[in-house]
Amino acid sequence: SLMRGRDPLVDDVEITDLQLGRRVFGDVALMKSGLFVFVNSSDFTIKWDEKTRVYVTVHDTLRSQMAGLCGDFD
């Protein structure tokens, strides 16, 4: 979970040490770089400024399989 004013949550556990480096949870890796928190997996990348901006990048293998806020990626 990514919430303004809180560190990221993974399985309801707050991850407070991202400034020390990348943390891996199965297929998902979290890291902090500059102003942004990155959530990376083999299918997507989320870049969050810890406030109001969220950037979602989806891998090409998901082309034409997306719907909703991210669009349909076709």
Side-chain angles (χ1 to χ4, degrees):
S1 297
L2 302 173
M3 291 185 281
R4 187 177 188 171
R6 292 189 65 178
D7 289 317
L9 295 174
V10 175
D11 294 329
D12 295 324
V13 175
E14 199 164 6
I15 309 303
T16 59
D17 57 355
L18 286 179
Q19 68 278 2
L20 299 177
R22 187 172 86 145
R23 299 282 308 272
V24 178
F25 303 92
D27 185 36
V28 177
L30 275 75
M31 64 178 275
K32 185 166 172 95
S33 180
L35 299 175
F36 291 93
V37 171
F38 289 86
V39 181
N40 295 305
S41 87
S42 58
D43 294 327
F44 64 85
T45 299
I46 298 171
K47 181 175 147 182
W48 176 51
D49 73 350
E50 298 187 85
K51 293 181 179 64
T52 59
R53 291 180 289 178
V54 176
Y55 303 93
V56 179
T57 305
V58 179
H59 193 275
D60 286 342
T61 59
L62 294 175
R63 184 172 298 276
S64 298
Q65 297 180 43
M66 300 296 298
L69 290 175
C70 294
D72 54 16
F73 192 48
D74 58 358

